[in-house]
C-alpha cells in the first residue's frame, strides 16, 4: 500500500508551497518533491507596455525581494537602450542593493531559518520562531534586529523614492543623487550594520558551531549534494551582488563556465516535468540527467553558499576572514552541505554591510551626475543581479518604440528548483523509515528546504493566517488514513 | 484615537489587491485622525508602520473557499493562527509580529481589527479585481467606514 505524506503549507517560507512525500508499501520514502501554485499571465500582462514601466512593475511580482527585481530591471533597460549609467549612478544602485541584501539576510537568519538552529530542530513547533529566538538570545538582541532592519530599509526608501517598491532606476542611471546629510546617515547605518553582522556571526558561532550535535547535522550526509554552483563575480572572481560576469564551478570547484549576461541562453536551458509548474533550469553544457548529483548532471545551485563556492573569495576584508574560516571548518571548497547556506548567508551579510559602508564613504556618491540620457533605438536587453535567493535574470525585447514584445524572467529561487526537490527527497529518505513519521522528523525534512530561503509564488498576500500545518498520510487510493496537525 | 488603516495586498495580482482598493477608497473620505497606508509587505515588516498608533485596522484578502467572493469577515488578532504554524508571506504573521513588538516594549496599538475579504483569484496577473469581488467593494467600503466612524464618535 503506497502512502502519500503532504506537508502543506510549508511553514516559515516565502509564499506557499507544498511538499509531497510518497511512501512505498514498506513505509519507506519512494519519491518526494515540491509543488507550488502557479502564477499566470505575467508575460501577457507585460507585453504591449512601454519597457520603462518594467522597473516599477517587476518589483510587484514579489513582496519579498522587490529591490533586486528593480535592480535587474534597471540593468536590463540600460542594455535595451544601449546606455551606460555614470559611475555615481552605478554606485548608488549598488548601495541600495547592498542595504537590501543586508536587511533580507538578517530577516532570514533571525526569523526564518535561524529558529531551526537557535531554538533547535527538535524543539516544539510553537517555540521554533522569532519569539523563541528572542527567548534564547535576549530582548536586546531582538531590538537590535528590528532597529538595523528599519535603518537599512530607510536607505532603500530614501534613495528608492518610495516605501517598499523602489522607483529610482531609469535607463541610463537613477532619478536622484545622494545628499550630504543622507550620506552621513548611511555611513552611520553602514558602520552599525557591520557591527551587527559581527554580532550575528558570533551568535552563530556560540549557538551553532559550539554545539557538536548541530555541527554534525550541518556536515551530515543527508543534507549534502554535490552539484555545480553559479554566481556573479567581479574582475578578481570575488563575489559581487550587483554586477560582473556569471561564473559556474563544477562539483570539484573548477571553473566550468564564465559568461556575460547576454550569453545566458547559451548556458542555461529549462527542463519541464508534468507534475510541476516550475521549469527546472540546468546547464546546457552538461545536459539534463534527472534529479541527480554529480559532475554528469546539469543541476546547479545558486544563492549564498553557491555564490561563495563559485567565487575565489569576498571583496571586503572582514567577510574574507569569515569566508576562509567557514571553508576551513567545512573541509575546503566547494562545500556541498546544504545547511551551510545559513552560514554563507551570514558571511554575505557581513560583506553587504562592509560594501554598503565603502560605497557610502566614497566621495563620488555625492556627484550629481547620475544619469546618461539614452539616444539609441531600443531592441533587446538583459539584466542580471544577485538576489538574496540567487541569480536573477530579466530579459526584454521591444519594438523600435520601446513597446515590449517579449519578456523572460528566471527568478532566483527557480534556479534552485531541482536541487530543492533533491534535498527534500534525500532528507526524507534519510529520516523517514518504515512509515515512522513524527513532527520532529518532518521539521528536519523542511530544514532542507528552508536552507535555500526559497521564495515561491510569494506575490500573494491573502490571509491564510489561521491555517495550521497539516500533514496528511494517504493510502494508494488517496484516502487520508492519518492526519498530523501542528498546534 | 490615532488610527492606522493598512491595506494589504499585491496590486498586480487580481483579487489580491482588494485590501489596497478598499483602503484607498476609505482614504478618500479623509476621516479625522485616520491615516491610510497601502503595503505589499507582511508580518515583521508591518511592525515598522504600526508603532505609535492607538488603533490598527488591517484590510486584507482571504481565501477560505467556503463563502462567496466579496464576503467580508471581521476577525480579531486571536483568530489568526499561532506563530510558527502559518504560511503567511515572509514567514511570520501579523499576530506574531504584534506579540514580538509588545515583548520588545514598542508602543503597539491596543485595538486591532482585521477585515478580510473573500476572494476568487490571486494567481493571475492583473490590475483589477474579478467582477464578483469588484462589485462588492463599494458596500464593503461603506460598511468599514461606518464602523470606524461609529467607534470613533465621542460618547
Amino acid at each position: 500500500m503506497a502512502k502519500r505524506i503532504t506537508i502543506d503549507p510549508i511553514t516559515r517560507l516565502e509564499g506557499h508551497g507544498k511538499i509531497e512525500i510518497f511512501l512505498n508499501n514498506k513505509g519507506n520514502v519512494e519519491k518526494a518533491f515540491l509543488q507550488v501554485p502557479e502564477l499566470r499571465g505575467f508575460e501577457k500582462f507585460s507585453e504591449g507596455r512601454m519597457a520603462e514601466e518594467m522597473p516599477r512593475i517587476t518589483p510587484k511580482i514579489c513582496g519579498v525581494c522587490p529591490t533586486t527585481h528593480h535592480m535587474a530591471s534597471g540593468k536590463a533597460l540600460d542594455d535595451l537602450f544601449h546606455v551606460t549609467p555614470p559611475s555615481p549612478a552605478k554606485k548608488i544602485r549598488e548601495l541600495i542593493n547592498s542595504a537590501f541584501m543586508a536587511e533580507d539576510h538578517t530577516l532570514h537568519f533571525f526569523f526564518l531559518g535561524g529558529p531551526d538552529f537557535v531554538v533547535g530542530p527538535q524543539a516544539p513547533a510553537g517555540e521554533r520562531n522569532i519569539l523563541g529566538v528572542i527567548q534564547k538570545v535576549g530582548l536586546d538582541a531582538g531590538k537590535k534586529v528590528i532597529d538595523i532592519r528599519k535603518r537599512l530599509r530607510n536607505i532603500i526608501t530614501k534613495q528608492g523614492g518610495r516605501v517598499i517598491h523602489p522607483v529610482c532606476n531609469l535607463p541610463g542611471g537613477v532619478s536622484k543623487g545622494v545628499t550630504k546629510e543622507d550620506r552621513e546617515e548611511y555611513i552611520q547605518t553602514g558602520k552599525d550594520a557591520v557591527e551587527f553582522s559581527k554580532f550575528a556571526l558570533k551568535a552563530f558561532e556560540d549557538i551553532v558551531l559550539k554545539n557538536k550535535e548541530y555541527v554534525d547535522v550541518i556536515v551530515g550526509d543527508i543534507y549534502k549534494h554535490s552539484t555545480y554552483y553559479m554566481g556573479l563575480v567581479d574582475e578578481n572572481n570575488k563575489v559581487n551582488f550587483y554586477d560582473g560576469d556569471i561564473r559556474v564551478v563544477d562539483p570539484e570547484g573548477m571553473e566550468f563556465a564564465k559568461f556575460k549576461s547576454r550569453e545566458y541562453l547559451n548556458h542555461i536551458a529549462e527542463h519541464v516535468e508534468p507534475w510541476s509548474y516550475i521549469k527546472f533550469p540546468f546547464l546546457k553544457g552538461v545536459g539534463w540527467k534527472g534529479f541527480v548529483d554529480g559532475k554528469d548532471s546539469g543541476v546547479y545551485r545558486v544563492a549564498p553558499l553557491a555564490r561563495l563556492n563559485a567565487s575565489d573569495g569576498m571583496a571586503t576584508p572582514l567577510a574574507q576572514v569569515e569566508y576562509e574560516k567557514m571553508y576551513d571548518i567545512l573541509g575546503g571548497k566547494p562545500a556541498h552541505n546544504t545547511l551551510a547556506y545559513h552560514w554563507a548567508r551570514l558571511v554575505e551579510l557581513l560583506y553587504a554591510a562592509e560594501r554598503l559602508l565603502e560605497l557610502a564613504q566614497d566621495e563620488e556618491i555625492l556627484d550629481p551626475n547620475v544619469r546618461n540620457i539614452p539616444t539609441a533605438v531600443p531592441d533587446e536587453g538583459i539584466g542580471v543581479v544577485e538576489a538574496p535567493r540567487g541569480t536573477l535574470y530579466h530579459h526584454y525585447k521591444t519594438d523600435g518604440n520601446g513597446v515590449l514584445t517579449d519578456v523572460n524572467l528566471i527568478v532566483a529561487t527557480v534556479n534552485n528548483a531541482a536541487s530543492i526537490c533533491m534535498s527534500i527527497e534525500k532528507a526524507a529518505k534519510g529520516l523517514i523509515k518504515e512509515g515512522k513519521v513524527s513532527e520532529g522528523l518532518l521539521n528536519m525534512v523542511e530544514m532542507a528546504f528552508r536552507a535555500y530561503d526559497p521564495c515561491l509564488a510569494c506575490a500573494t498576500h491573502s490571509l491564510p493566517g489561521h491555517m495550521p500545518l497539516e500533514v496528511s498520510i494517504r493510502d494508494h487510493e488517496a484516502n487520508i488514513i492519518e492526519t498530523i496537525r501542528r498546534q | 484615537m490615532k488610527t492606522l488603516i493598512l491595506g494589504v495586498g499585491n496590486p498586480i495580482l487580481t483579487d489580491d489587491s482588494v485590501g489596497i482598493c478598499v483602503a484607498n477608497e476609505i482614504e478618500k473620505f479623509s476621516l479625522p485622525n485616520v491615516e491610510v497606508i497601502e503595503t505589499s509587505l507582511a508580518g515583521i515588516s508591518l511592525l515598522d508602520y504600526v508603532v505609535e498608533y492607538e488603533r490598527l485596522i488591517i484590510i486584507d484578502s482571504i481565501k477560505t473557499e467556503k463563502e462567496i467572493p466579496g464576503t467580508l469577515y471581521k476577525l480579531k488578532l486571536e483568530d489568526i493562527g499561532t506563530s510558527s504554524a502559518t504560511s503567511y508571506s515572509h514567514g511570520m504573521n501579523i499576530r506574531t509580529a504584534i506579540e514580538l513588538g509588545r515583548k520588545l516594549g514598542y508602543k503597539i496599538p491596543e485595538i486591532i481589527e482585521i477585515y478580510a475579504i473573500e476572494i476568487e483569484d490571486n494567481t493571475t496577473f492583473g490590475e483589477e479585481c474579478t467582477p464578483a469581488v469588484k462589485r462588492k467593494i463599494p458596500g464593503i467600503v461603506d460598511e468599514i467606514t461606518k464602523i470606524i466612524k461609529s467607534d470613533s464618535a465621542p460618547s
Side-chain angles (χ1 to χ4, degrees), chain A residues 9 11-14 16 38-40 42 45 49 57 60 63-64 107 111-112 125-126 128-131 134-135 139 142-143 146 149 153 163-165 459-469 487, chain B residues 9-13 16 39-41 44-45 47-49 60-62 79-93 96 99-100 103-104 106 114 116 119 121-127:
Chain A
T11 54
R12 287 208 306 281
L13 289 181
E14 317 292 8
H16 316 290
E38 182 194 25
L39 295 181
R40 293 179 295 267
F42 187 71
F45 180 80
R49 291 174 186 268
I57 292 171
K60 292 176 182 168
V64 175
L107 180 79
F111 291 81
L112 306 179
R128 271 197 323 269
N129 56 40
I130 180 62
L131 298 172
I134 298 294
Q135 207 77 306
L139 285 183
K143 283 182 182 165
I146 303 284
R149 280 199 70 226
R153 293 190 74 82
V163 183
I164 308 169
H165 299 131
T460 55
H461 290 265
S462 300
L463 272 173
H466 58 281
M467 192 189 291
L469 175 72
Q487 297 305 315
Chain B
N10 184 323
I12 60 165
L13 214 52
D16 205 75
T39 177
S40 302
L41 298 175
I44 183 63
S45 301
L47 255 193
D48 296 347
Y49 303 124
D60 202 347
S61 57
I62 193 166
D79 296 327
I80 307 273
T82 49
S83 48
S84 81
T86 64
S87 67
Y88 208 94
S89 292
H90 226 143
M92 180 164 139
N93 68 10
T96 314
E99 280 178 26
L100 175 66
K103 202 162 191 168
L104 295 179
Y106 294 103
I114 300 165
I119 56 166
D121 180 3
N122 61 349
T123 55
T124 307
F125 285 99
E127 286 168 301

Side-chain angles (χ1 to χ4, degrees), chain A residues 4-25:
Chain A
R4 190 174 81 182
I5 300 171
T6 305
I7 303 182
D8 175 27
I10 299 158
T11 54
R12 287 208 306 281
L13 289 181
E14 317 292 8
H16 316 290
K18 189 201 271 189
I19 290 174
E20 297 269 14
I21 302 170
F22 290 89
L23 304 185
N24 62 20
N25 55 6

Side-chain angles (χ1 to χ4, degrees), chain A residues 242-381:
Chain A
Y242 175 75
D243 213 359
D245 289 342
I246 298 140
R247 190 177 192 222
V248 179
V249 298
D250 70 18
E252 284 151 18
M254 302 303 289
E255 184 176 296
F256 173 75
K258 194 172 171 184
F259 55 93
K260 306 275 177 206
S261 306
R262 280 215 160 216
E263 298 159 356
Y264 85 105
L265 286 175
N266 297 336
H267 296 271
I268 302 169
E270 292 178 315
H271 170 77
V272 178
E273 286 282 339
W275 45 265
S276 177
Y277 295 118
I278 287 187
K279 290 174 183 165
F280 297 92
F282 64 94
L283 296 169
K284 261 186 179 175
V286 187
W288 176 261
K289 307 285 163 54
F291 295 88
V292 287
D293 284 33
K295 211 171 173 177
D296 296 333
S297 167
V299 171
Y300 65 91
R301 293 198 267 183
V302 298
L305 183 65
R307 282 191 284 255
L308 268 52
N309 279 339
S311 75
D312 288 343
M314 310 306 286
T316 56
L318 297 176
Q320 176 63 24
V321 171
E322 294 296 331
Y323 173 97
E324 288 168 15
K325 182 176 164 188
M326 185 186 90
Y327 283 113
D328 275 352
I329 294 175
L330 291 175
K333 265 182 75 186
H336 299 299
N337 321 86
T338 305
L339 294 183
Y341 266 85
H342 295 292
W343 195 349
R345 196 169 285 117
L346 292 179
V347 176
E348 286 196 340
L349 165 63
L350 180 54
Y351 163 68
E354 285 186 284
R355 186 72 188 129
L356 167 64
L357 180 57
E358 272 179 10
L359 288 160
Q361 286 174 329
D362 189 330
E363 286 290 332
E364 199 185 10
I365 209 120
L366 293 171
D367 188 332
N369 176 28
V370 293
R371 192 171 180 215
N372 287 328
I373 304 294
T375 52
V377 176
D379 45 28
E380 184 172 4

